[in-house]
Amino acid sequence: MTGHPANEADGARAVALLTEMVRIPSPSGREERLAEYLVATMGELGLRSERDAAGNAVGELGEGPRHIVLVGHMDTVPGDIPVRREGNVLWGRGTVDAKGPLAAFVMAVALLGPRPGTRFTVVGAVEEEAATSRGARHVAGRYQPDYAIIGEPSGWDRITLGYKGRLLVDYSLERPMAHSAGEARAACEEAVAYWQQVCAYAETFNRDKEGRFATLDPSLRSMNSSSDGLAERVAMTIGLRLPPEVDAEALTRNLLGWAAGATVTMRGLEAPFRAGKRNPLCSAFLASIRAAGGRAAFVTKTGTSDMNVLGPRWGCPVVAYGPGDSAYDHTPDEQIDLGEYLRSIDVLRGVLERLSSI
């Protein structure tokens, strides 16, 4: 398969690939159908393809000592959004986060074709939207690339260098029922007091910080209470977005210390990560975006991605890149501009061509 994705046939193939990927539901833990489709499609496009031991869809092209790995994710958050196209806009769950970037990876490698001395590996990872990042953790030990690109929406002319970290806190409290006129606080009141303590800690931490990438951001993910007339129970989950300067050990000690008889457990810890920008990978992106008529810019994100898992483990030049507006992530209006999607394929193809010529 040769040519520019703006060519009618190649553009149509790229749009068909993304549309079919979006039509296949793939919430975290249920990516099998999409993985099978991607393995078959990558094989048709000339890549050596397989499902690995973690369930990732993997495609490879070329041979050689230079290794470039592109990791997108197949899974989505829950929520069915009817797939439809209106003009140049495609709606559907996963169009932006992150089937658009993954489809762009597949098409860019297929359109470029083999390059001397270079092996391209495209990974459609499982469970990125879960706290497990199972797919990324598997490939972290399987490969040691020279360059890595993580598939997340940045906009076709933006390059993401960093993501905040994450910590999930599960709080639960059960106690005997007491009269509401008594002095003791009810279980729900204890839980609210704990949440307020977390917020106060974050407010103090953030007092002298500038920009969202530097702040500690708590969110109340869920809260449920129940009673059987003898005991009352409350459970809640708090999410924390961690900036680079946070002392995770001190934060953990405080989260446990504020429990006041409740059970507090923590999970899903990912350290914040920020990559460097003075390297051949970033230079290739800057040049390729300029060649496509854009003015490139570097950004950081307040969420997390598989970059948090792979960046520190691989230690190679790494960025996150992909088409789409991340404001649509996880929303009921998730959509992608297909013109931007096709342009991102052109940018990625230019990046891979430049890196394989070094």
Side-chain angles (χ1 to χ4, degrees):
M1 191 173 179
T2 60
H4 189 289
N7 291 348
E8 185 175 350
D10 294 337
R13 183 68 181 89
V15 170
L17 169 65
L18 176 56
T19 303
E20 187 59 27
M21 288 173 63
V22 175
R23 284 196 178 114
I24 300 173
S26 56
S28 293
R30 292 162 51 196
E31 304 96 337
E32 294 87 354
R33 278 185 58 206
L34 180 56
E36 291 170 0
Y37 170 75
L38 278 177
V39 167
T41 301
M42 287 190 288
E44 293 169 2
L45 292 171
L47 283 68
R48 305 181 298 275
S49 58
E50 64 168 1
R51 287 188 69 193
D52 67 17
N56 299 323
V58 181
E60 292 201 326
L61 186 68
E63 300 284 355
R66 184 186 296 108
H67 191 194
I68 303 170
V69 178
L70 304 94
V71 181
H73 65 90
M74 297 184 292
D75 63 321
T76 69
V77 296
D80 179 45
I81 301 173
V83 180
R84 73 184 194 277
R85 179 176 175 180
E86 294 182 12
N88 225 26
V89 178
L90 179 68
W91 272 266
R93 178 60 80 213
T95 49
V96 170
D97 191 15
K99 295 180 181 182
L102 177 56
F105 285 177
V106 172
M107 292 304 303
V109 170
L111 286 166
L112 180 61
R115 299 283 292 177
T118 303
R119 175 164 61 115
F120 300 112
T121 300
V122 179
V123 179
V126 299
E127 297 184 20
E128 191 274 346
E129 295 290 0
T132 58
S133 292
R134 181 174 175 230
R137 294 186 191 282
H138 179 74
V139 299
R142 188 179 184 188
Y143 306 123
Q144 190 57 58
D146 298 288
Y147 305 102
I149 306 172
I150 310 300
E152 291 288 345
S154 59
W156 78 272
D157 57 354
R158 296 290 183 267
I159 308 155
T160 303
L161 290 180
Y163 287 86
K164 295 175 82 164
R166 177 195 61 211
L167 179 64
L168 298 175
V169 183
D170 294 320
Y171 173 103
S172 63
L173 176 64
E174 179 176 347
R175 57 175 44 174
M177 290 291 296
H179 198 286
S180 59
E183 294 183 1
R185 286 198 297 203
C188 287
E189 293 171 328
E190 291 286 2
V192 169
Y194 185 89
W195 163 246
Q196 290 173 332
Q197 185 68 60
V198 173
C199 291
Y201 182 91
E203 184 177 354
T204 300
F205 179 90
N206 296 339
R207 196 162 291 157
D208 60 346
K209 304 300 188 296
E210 294 184 7
R212 285 287 307 281
F213 196 69
T215 59
L216 175 64
D217 302 325
S219 61
L220 185 56
R221 301 287 188 89
S222 66
M223 188 173 186
N224 299 283
S225 63
S226 64
S227 167
D228 60 6
L230 300 175
E232 56 178 351
R233 305 170 188 84
V234 62
M236 68 179 174
T237 298
I238 295 170
L240 291 162
R241 295 296 183 180
L242 310 178
E245 293 183 8
V246 75
D247 184 338
E249 291 185 5
L251 176 60
T252 299
R253 286 195 300 270
N254 283 315
L255 290 167
L256 293 172
W258 299 328
T263 299
V264 172
T265 57
M266 281 156 275
R267 59 188 171 89
L269 175 63
E270 290 294 350
F273 179 81
R274 183 164 188 159
K277 60 183 179 181
R278 290 184 171 85
N279 56 63
L281 177 61
C282 289
S283 296
F285 265 103
L286 292 172
S288 191
I289 290 171
R290 284 196 298 267
R295 298 182 63 182
F298 294 106
V299 298
T300 54
K301 297 291 187 70
T302 56
T304 55
S305 78
D306 280 340
M307 190 176 185
N308 296 75
V309 175
L310 298 172
R313 287 166 175 78
W314 281 345
C316 65
V318 57
V319 301
Y321 177 81
D325 183 347
S326 59
Y328 290 115
D329 289 5
H330 302 188
T331 71
D333 297 318
E334 189 170 359
Q335 60 187 264
I336 193 167
D337 181 282
L338 293 172
E340 178 178 344
Y341 164 61
L342 294 176
R343 186 169 286 186
S344 75
I345 296 171
D346 194 29
V347 169
L348 283 163
R349 183 182 174 188
V351 168
L352 299 178
E353 186 171 15
R354 287 172 171 84
L355 291 176
S356 60
S357 300
I358 295 174

